[in-house]
Amino acid sequence: MAEGKQKRKYLYEVDVLRLIFITGVLLNHTTTMVGNELATASWESGFLNMTHLSLHFTRMGFMFITGLVLFLQHYHKELHVWSFWKKRFLGVGIPYVSWCFLLLMGETLQQNAWSGAGNFLADLVHLITHGDDYYMYYIIVTMQLYVVFPILVWLFKKFSNKHNLILGISFVFQIVLLFFIKYGLPHIDTSNWPYLMKNYGFSLLVYQFYFVLGAFASIHYEAFKGFIERKHRLIGWGTLILALGTLVEFYYNQHVLHLSLTKTLEIHQPYIFIYDLFIIGFVIWIGLQYAKYRENGLPQWLVKFVSIGAKVGFGMYLGQTVALTIMAGVLSALDIADIANFMLIPVMFIIIVLMDYYMSYFFYKIPPFGFLIGRPQWHVTNLWKKREKLTI
């Protein structure tokens, strides 16, 4: 059987990674939502600020997974560039534009801020082209990756014996870039820079290593998996120590560098990069344990929950604003003390996860809403082919 026709082994560990990273995103945004309700000077607000950096690995985990899955699907077969771009841009573009419209319309109606179709259309075009609201930056970054993905595949195939070197160069570039962002960029006037350079959190460049690491892990998966298994204790203890170290990083940024709170909590920092690598590695080890025991020892309800979560995870990311907005409204209406808000974080997190999960599952199961999560039940091309058959 030809290499491109070989059936790939399903990696159940990737299902867990998807679910952990999306729920981690929701935890991150839940704590931010609660923090907005707290008095700025309260110890509860201070605690959330100090621990916030430890939750930011989820964004980078998503980038790693994206690179891993893309290479798993396309590296070992011939890549038809135009077909790839058509499939991928439609696959993320349709749900992206749909959610931009729905969320912007919902916010406009909620705030009773309708000022005419022309203004709404202008706001929609801005949102689609900039992705600067409702956590849509991830889609903007992903589409940039799709543009350069054929070049990345060519690079790994062209230098098939130099993959360690490619990974090493990518690592060094990432570290240098992060040092520049933290220590150099704040002293430079960027007001006239292009959008993606000025808003570097929306640029592929600041995430490039995670995509390259995903590609490397995909190509050398058995060796990569073996490394994680052998070093899992080191990775686990390293993760714990580095997570505690984010508290020191917070203090350093605030009281030594005297950075603003926004810059203090920025994820594009050299220390956070190292922390991200360790915790992503630890999450991968958790996924490998899940894959090992999913058939023997794990309850079937958990296996089913993880399996569905992996299918609707993209939809959960796109639709998270709905669940977060509803819970923010509930929290505001309750008008309770800061300590009560703080203590309710686990409950609110669980409610938001389940709300987002089952909303996306509804879209997944009920036509025609699958297009909202990138899993359409009806494909226009298939419908057209059926029509042609009926008319012959």
PDB file of all heavy atoms in Angstrom, residues 24 28-29 32 51-61 137 264-268 272 275-276 279:
ATOM      1  N   GLY A  24      -8.734  24.789  29.841  1.00  0.00           N
ATOM      2  CA  GLY A  24      -7.770  25.713  30.429  1.00  0.00           C
ATOM      3  C   GLY A  24      -8.008  27.143  29.966  1.00  0.00           C
ATOM      4  O   GLY A  24      -7.904  28.096  30.756  1.00  0.00           O
ATOM      5  N   ASN A  28      -8.951  30.270  32.418  1.00  0.00           N
ATOM      6  CA  ASN A  28      -8.248  31.548  32.309  1.00  0.00           C
ATOM      7  C   ASN A  28      -9.239  32.701  32.183  1.00  0.00           C
ATOM      8  O   ASN A  28      -9.167  33.705  32.910  1.00  0.00           O
ATOM      9  CB  ASN A  28      -7.319  31.487  31.092  1.00  0.00           C
ATOM     10  CG  ASN A  28      -6.374  32.666  31.014  1.00  0.00           C
ATOM     11  OD1 ASN A  28      -6.448  33.609  31.773  1.00  0.00           O
ATOM     12  ND2 ASN A  28      -5.477  32.613  30.044  1.00  0.00           N
ATOM     13  N   HIS A  29     -10.199  32.550  31.287  1.00  0.00           N
ATOM     14  CA  HIS A  29     -11.152  33.627  31.031  1.00  0.00           C
ATOM     15  C   HIS A  29     -12.199  33.739  32.140  1.00  0.00           C
ATOM     16  O   HIS A  29     -12.746  34.820  32.365  1.00  0.00           O
ATOM     17  CB  HIS A  29     -11.810  33.417  29.665  1.00  0.00           C
ATOM     18  CG  HIS A  29     -10.839  33.520  28.536  1.00  0.00           C
ATOM     19  ND1 HIS A  29     -11.058  32.959  27.292  1.00  0.00           N
ATOM     20  CD2 HIS A  29      -9.615  34.130  28.463  1.00  0.00           C
ATOM     21  CE1 HIS A  29     -10.024  33.213  26.511  1.00  0.00           C
ATOM     22  NE2 HIS A  29      -9.140  33.913  27.203  1.00  0.00           N
ATOM     23  N   THR A  32     -10.528  35.824  34.772  1.00  0.00           N
ATOM     24  CA  THR A  32     -10.519  37.219  34.316  1.00  0.00           C
ATOM     25  C   THR A  32     -11.882  37.856  34.522  1.00  0.00           C
ATOM     26  O   THR A  32     -11.985  39.003  34.976  1.00  0.00           O
ATOM     27  CB  THR A  32     -10.120  37.301  32.834  1.00  0.00           C
ATOM     28  OG1 THR A  32      -8.810  36.757  32.657  1.00  0.00           O
ATOM     29  CG2 THR A  32     -10.129  38.737  32.340  1.00  0.00           C
ATOM     30  N   THR A  51      -1.509  34.809  40.283  1.00  0.00           N
ATOM     31  CA  THR A  51      -1.534  33.437  39.764  1.00  0.00           C
ATOM     32  C   THR A  51      -1.910  33.365  38.290  1.00  0.00           C
ATOM     33  O   THR A  51      -1.916  32.280  37.704  1.00  0.00           O
ATOM     34  CB  THR A  51      -2.535  32.588  40.569  1.00  0.00           C
ATOM     35  OG1 THR A  51      -3.842  33.209  40.524  1.00  0.00           O
ATOM     36  CG2 THR A  51      -2.102  32.460  42.017  1.00  0.00           C
ATOM     37  N   HIS A  52      -2.199  34.504  37.697  1.00  0.00           N
ATOM     38  CA  HIS A  52      -2.731  34.505  36.331  1.00  0.00           C
ATOM     39  C   HIS A  52      -1.735  33.980  35.300  1.00  0.00           C
ATOM     40  O   HIS A  52      -2.115  33.283  34.354  1.00  0.00           O
ATOM     41  CB  HIS A  52      -3.181  35.919  35.948  1.00  0.00           C
ATOM     42  CG  HIS A  52      -4.139  35.947  34.797  1.00  0.00           C
ATOM     43  ND1 HIS A  52      -5.395  35.405  34.855  1.00  0.00           N
ATOM     44  CD2 HIS A  52      -4.011  36.434  33.540  1.00  0.00           C
ATOM     45  CE1 HIS A  52      -6.010  35.568  33.701  1.00  0.00           C
ATOM     46  NE2 HIS A  52      -5.193  36.179  32.880  1.00  0.00           N
ATOM     47  N   LEU A  53      -0.458  34.299  35.489  1.00  0.00           N
ATOM     48  CA  LEU A  53       0.549  33.866  34.518  1.00  0.00           C
ATOM     49  C   LEU A  53       0.623  32.344  34.414  1.00  0.00           C
ATOM     50  O   LEU A  53       0.936  31.805  33.349  1.00  0.00           O
ATOM     51  CB  LEU A  53       1.926  34.422  34.902  1.00  0.00           C
ATOM     52  CG  LEU A  53       2.215  35.876  34.521  1.00  0.00           C
ATOM     53  CD1 LEU A  53       3.529  36.330  35.128  1.00  0.00           C
ATOM     54  CD2 LEU A  53       2.235  36.061  33.009  1.00  0.00           C
ATOM     55  N   SER A  54       0.327  31.647  35.500  1.00  0.00           N
ATOM     56  CA  SER A  54       0.427  30.181  35.492  1.00  0.00           C
ATOM     57  C   SER A  54      -0.638  29.530  34.626  1.00  0.00           C
ATOM     58  O   SER A  54      -0.521  28.358  34.266  1.00  0.00           O
ATOM     59  CB  SER A  54       0.334  29.637  36.919  1.00  0.00           C
ATOM     60  OG  SER A  54      -0.941  29.903  37.483  1.00  0.00           O
ATOM     61  N   LEU A  55      -1.688  30.292  34.260  1.00  0.00           N
ATOM     62  CA  LEU A  55      -2.790  29.725  33.466  1.00  0.00           C
ATOM     63  C   LEU A  55      -2.642  29.984  31.976  1.00  0.00           C
ATOM     64  O   LEU A  55      -3.438  29.469  31.187  1.00  0.00           O
ATOM     65  CB  LEU A  55      -4.132  30.323  33.937  1.00  0.00           C
ATOM     66  CG  LEU A  55      -4.506  30.118  35.409  1.00  0.00           C
ATOM     67  CD1 LEU A  55      -5.831  30.821  35.712  1.00  0.00           C
ATOM     68  CD2 LEU A  55      -4.613  28.639  35.739  1.00  0.00           C
ATOM     69  N   HIS A  56      -1.634  30.737  31.597  1.00  0.00           N
ATOM     70  CA  HIS A  56      -1.567  31.211  30.210  1.00  0.00           C
ATOM     71  C   HIS A  56      -0.971  30.205  29.232  1.00  0.00           C
ATOM     72  O   HIS A  56      -0.867  30.499  28.043  1.00  0.00           O
ATOM     73  CB  HIS A  56      -0.772  32.515  30.131  1.00  0.00           C
ATOM     74  CG  HIS A  56      -1.625  33.735  30.198  1.00  0.00           C
ATOM     75  ND1 HIS A  56      -2.729  33.918  29.404  1.00  0.00           N
ATOM     76  CD2 HIS A  56      -1.538  34.850  30.963  1.00  0.00           C
ATOM     77  CE1 HIS A  56      -3.280  35.087  29.665  1.00  0.00           C
ATOM     78  NE2 HIS A  56      -2.586  35.673  30.614  1.00  0.00           N
ATOM     79  N   PHE A  57      -0.602  29.039  29.687  1.00  0.00           N
ATOM     80  CA  PHE A  57       0.001  28.047  28.797  1.00  0.00           C
ATOM     81  C   PHE A  57      -0.983  27.513  27.759  1.00  0.00           C
ATOM     82  O   PHE A  57      -0.577  26.949  26.741  1.00  0.00           O
ATOM     83  CB  PHE A  57       0.530  26.867  29.624  1.00  0.00           C
ATOM     84  CG  PHE A  57      -0.548  26.033  30.257  1.00  0.00           C
ATOM     85  CD1 PHE A  57      -1.042  24.907  29.616  1.00  0.00           C
ATOM     86  CD2 PHE A  57      -1.061  26.370  31.500  1.00  0.00           C
ATOM     87  CE1 PHE A  57      -2.047  24.135  30.185  1.00  0.00           C
ATOM     88  CE2 PHE A  57      -2.055  25.604  32.087  1.00  0.00           C
ATOM     89  CZ  PHE A  57      -2.557  24.486  31.432  1.00  0.00           C
ATOM     90  N   THR A  58      -2.265  27.667  28.026  1.00  0.00           N
ATOM     91  CA  THR A  58      -3.280  27.049  27.163  1.00  0.00           C
ATOM     92  C   THR A  58      -3.232  27.581  25.734  1.00  0.00           C
ATOM     93  O   THR A  58      -3.445  26.825  24.780  1.00  0.00           O
ATOM     94  CB  THR A  58      -4.681  27.272  27.749  1.00  0.00           C
ATOM     95  OG1 THR A  58      -4.864  28.677  28.016  1.00  0.00           O
ATOM     96  CG2 THR A  58      -4.847  26.514  29.052  1.00  0.00           C
ATOM     97  N   ARG A  59      -2.955  28.866  25.579  1.00  0.00           N
ATOM     98  CA  ARG A  59      -2.878  29.433  24.225  1.00  0.00           C
ATOM     99  C   ARG A  59      -1.767  28.752  23.431  1.00  0.00           C
ATOM    100  O   ARG A  59      -1.948  28.361  22.283  1.00  0.00           O
ATOM    101  CB  ARG A  59      -2.625  30.946  24.295  1.00  0.00           C
ATOM    102  CG  ARG A  59      -2.580  31.604  22.933  1.00  0.00           C
ATOM    103  CD  ARG A  59      -2.128  33.045  22.989  1.00  0.00           C
ATOM    104  NE  ARG A  59      -2.960  33.887  23.831  1.00  0.00           N
ATOM    105  CZ  ARG A  59      -2.884  35.222  23.850  1.00  0.00           C
ATOM    106  NH1 ARG A  59      -2.013  35.851  23.062  1.00  0.00           N
ATOM    107  NH2 ARG A  59      -3.651  35.930  24.656  1.00  0.00           N
ATOM    108  N   MET A  60      -0.623  28.578  24.087  1.00  0.00           N
ATOM    109  CA  MET A  60       0.506  27.963  23.413  1.00  0.00           C
ATOM    110  C   MET A  60       0.249  26.478  23.150  1.00  0.00           C
ATOM    111  O   MET A  60       0.705  25.926  22.142  1.00  0.00           O
ATOM    112  CB  MET A  60       1.775  28.128  24.246  1.00  0.00           C
ATOM    113  CG  MET A  60       2.062  29.559  24.666  1.00  0.00           C
ATOM    114  SD  MET A  60       1.860  30.768  23.320  1.00  0.00           S
ATOM    115  CE  MET A  60       2.486  32.245  24.108  1.00  0.00           C
ATOM    116  N   GLY A  61      -0.495  25.849  24.053  1.00  0.00           N
ATOM    117  CA  GLY A  61      -0.879  24.460  23.840  1.00  0.00           C
ATOM    118  C   GLY A  61      -1.717  24.299  22.589  1.00  0.00           C
ATOM    119  O   GLY A  61      -1.542  23.336  21.820  1.00  0.00           O
ATOM    120  N   TYR A 137      -8.329  36.119  18.032  1.00  0.00           N
ATOM    121  CA  TYR A 137      -6.943  36.202  17.560  1.00  0.00           C
ATOM    122  C   TYR A 137      -6.422  34.833  17.113  1.00  0.00           C
ATOM    123  O   TYR A 137      -5.600  34.744  16.197  1.00  0.00           O
ATOM    124  CB  TYR A 137      -6.045  36.760  18.666  1.00  0.00           C
ATOM    125  CG  TYR A 137      -5.985  35.873  19.885  1.00  0.00           C
ATOM    126  CD1 TYR A 137      -5.103  34.806  19.953  1.00  0.00           C
ATOM    127  CD2 TYR A 137      -6.839  36.093  20.955  1.00  0.00           C
ATOM    128  CE1 TYR A 137      -5.069  33.971  21.062  1.00  0.00           C
ATOM    129  CE2 TYR A 137      -6.818  35.270  22.066  1.00  0.00           C
ATOM    130  CZ  TYR A 137      -5.936  34.212  22.118  1.00  0.00           C
ATOM    131  OH  TYR A 137      -5.911  33.386  23.204  1.00  0.00           O
ATOM    132  N   THR A 264       2.899  43.131  32.909  1.00  0.00           N
ATOM    133  CA  THR A 264       3.305  42.113  33.875  1.00  0.00           C
ATOM    134  C   THR A 264       2.698  40.765  33.533  1.00  0.00           C
ATOM    135  O   THR A 264       3.353  39.724  33.628  1.00  0.00           O
ATOM    136  CB  THR A 264       2.879  42.523  35.295  1.00  0.00           C
ATOM    137  OG1 THR A 264       3.621  43.687  35.682  1.00  0.00           O
ATOM    138  CG2 THR A 264       3.135  41.404  36.298  1.00  0.00           C
ATOM    139  N   LEU A 265       1.427  40.779  33.119  1.00  0.00           N
ATOM    140  CA  LEU A 265       0.700  39.540  32.832  1.00  0.00           C
ATOM    141  C   LEU A 265       0.822  39.103  31.377  1.00  0.00           C
ATOM    142  O   LEU A 265       0.161  38.153  30.963  1.00  0.00           O
ATOM    143  CB  LEU A 265      -0.782  39.714  33.201  1.00  0.00           C
ATOM    144  CG  LEU A 265      -1.059  40.035  34.674  1.00  0.00           C
ATOM    145  CD1 LEU A 265      -2.557  40.206  34.915  1.00  0.00           C
ATOM    146  CD2 LEU A 265      -0.493  38.965  35.585  1.00  0.00           C
ATOM    147  N   GLU A 266       1.647  39.787  30.610  1.00  0.00           N
ATOM    148  CA  GLU A 266       1.848  39.420  29.210  1.00  0.00           C
ATOM    149  C   GLU A 266       2.436  38.012  29.107  1.00  0.00           C
ATOM    150  O   GLU A 266       3.332  37.638  29.871  1.00  0.00           O
ATOM    151  CB  GLU A 266       2.799  40.426  28.559  1.00  0.00           C
ATOM    152  CG  GLU A 266       3.308  39.980  27.234  1.00  0.00           C
ATOM    153  CD  GLU A 266       3.153  41.044  26.165  1.00  0.00           C
ATOM    154  OE1 GLU A 266       2.454  42.031  26.396  1.00  0.00           O
ATOM    155  OE2 GLU A 266       3.731  40.861  25.111  1.00  0.00           O
ATOM    156  N   ILE A 267       1.936  37.236  28.153  1.00  0.00           N
ATOM    157  CA  ILE A 267       2.414  35.849  28.026  1.00  0.00           C
ATOM    158  C   ILE A 267       3.695  35.751  27.202  1.00  0.00           C
ATOM    159  O   ILE A 267       4.378  34.733  27.258  1.00  0.00           O
ATOM    160  CB  ILE A 267       1.336  34.952  27.388  1.00  0.00           C
ATOM    161  CG1 ILE A 267       1.055  35.375  25.951  1.00  0.00           C
ATOM    162  CG2 ILE A 267       0.076  34.961  28.212  1.00  0.00           C
ATOM    163  CD1 ILE A 267       0.136  34.412  25.229  1.00  0.00           C
ATOM    164  N   HIS A 268       4.038  36.797  26.470  1.00  0.00           N
ATOM    165  CA  HIS A 268       5.212  36.749  25.587  1.00  0.00           C
ATOM    166  C   HIS A 268       6.445  37.198  26.369  1.00  0.00           C
ATOM    167  O   HIS A 268       6.977  38.294  26.168  1.00  0.00           O
ATOM    168  CB  HIS A 268       4.971  37.612  24.349  1.00  0.00           C
ATOM    169  CG  HIS A 268       3.720  37.250  23.608  1.00  0.00           C
ATOM    170  ND1 HIS A 268       3.579  36.041  22.959  1.00  0.00           N
ATOM    171  CD2 HIS A 268       2.552  37.921  23.436  1.00  0.00           C
ATOM    172  CE1 HIS A 268       2.378  35.983  22.406  1.00  0.00           C
ATOM    173  NE2 HIS A 268       1.747  37.102  22.684  1.00  0.00           N
ATOM    174  N   ILE A 272       8.065  32.636  30.734  1.00  0.00           N
ATOM    175  CA  ILE A 272       6.798  31.955  30.456  1.00  0.00           C
ATOM    176  C   ILE A 272       6.966  30.967  29.305  1.00  0.00           C
ATOM    177  O   ILE A 272       6.318  29.909  29.276  1.00  0.00           O
ATOM    178  CB  ILE A 272       5.685  32.983  30.147  1.00  0.00           C
ATOM    179  CG1 ILE A 272       5.509  33.938  31.330  1.00  0.00           C
ATOM    180  CG2 ILE A 272       4.371  32.284  29.841  1.00  0.00           C
ATOM    181  CD1 ILE A 272       5.218  33.241  32.657  1.00  0.00           C
ATOM    182  N   TYR A 275       8.356  27.854  30.878  1.00  0.00           N
ATOM    183  CA  TYR A 275       7.267  27.247  31.659  1.00  0.00           C
ATOM    184  C   TYR A 275       6.267  26.558  30.734  1.00  0.00           C
ATOM    185  O   TYR A 275       5.825  25.428  30.996  1.00  0.00           O
ATOM    186  CB  TYR A 275       6.576  28.321  32.501  1.00  0.00           C
ATOM    187  CG  TYR A 275       5.260  27.901  33.099  1.00  0.00           C
ATOM    188  CD1 TYR A 275       5.193  26.879  34.039  1.00  0.00           C
ATOM    189  CD2 TYR A 275       4.072  28.546  32.728  1.00  0.00           C
ATOM    190  CE1 TYR A 275       3.974  26.498  34.592  1.00  0.00           C
ATOM    191  CE2 TYR A 275       2.860  28.176  33.282  1.00  0.00           C
ATOM    192  CZ  TYR A 275       2.818  27.151  34.213  1.00  0.00           C
ATOM    193  OH  TYR A 275       1.613  26.768  34.751  1.00  0.00           O
ATOM    194  N   ASP A 276       5.918  27.194  29.645  1.00  0.00           N
ATOM    195  CA  ASP A 276       4.959  26.625  28.690  1.00  0.00           C
ATOM    196  C   ASP A 276       5.452  25.295  28.138  1.00  0.00           C
ATOM    197  O   ASP A 276       4.674  24.340  27.999  1.00  0.00           O
ATOM    198  CB  ASP A 276       4.715  27.593  27.532  1.00  0.00           C
ATOM    199  CG  ASP A 276       3.865  28.789  27.931  1.00  0.00           C
ATOM    200  OD1 ASP A 276       3.199  28.715  28.976  1.00  0.00           O
ATOM    201  OD2 ASP A 276       3.874  29.798  27.209  1.00  0.00           O
ATOM    202  N   ILE A 279       4.988  22.579  30.879  1.00  0.00           N
ATOM    203  CA  ILE A 279       3.619  22.200  31.198  1.00  0.00           C
ATOM    204  C   ILE A 279       2.926  21.551  30.001  1.00  0.00           C
ATOM    205  O   ILE A 279       2.119  20.636  30.162  1.00  0.00           O
ATOM    206  CB  ILE A 279       2.805  23.396  31.748  1.00  0.00           C
ATOM    207  CG1 ILE A 279       1.511  22.872  32.403  1.00  0.00           C
ATOM    208  CG2 ILE A 279       2.503  24.428  30.676  1.00  0.00           C
ATOM    209  CD1 ILE A 279       0.781  23.905  33.225  1.00  0.00           C
TER     210      ILE A 279
END
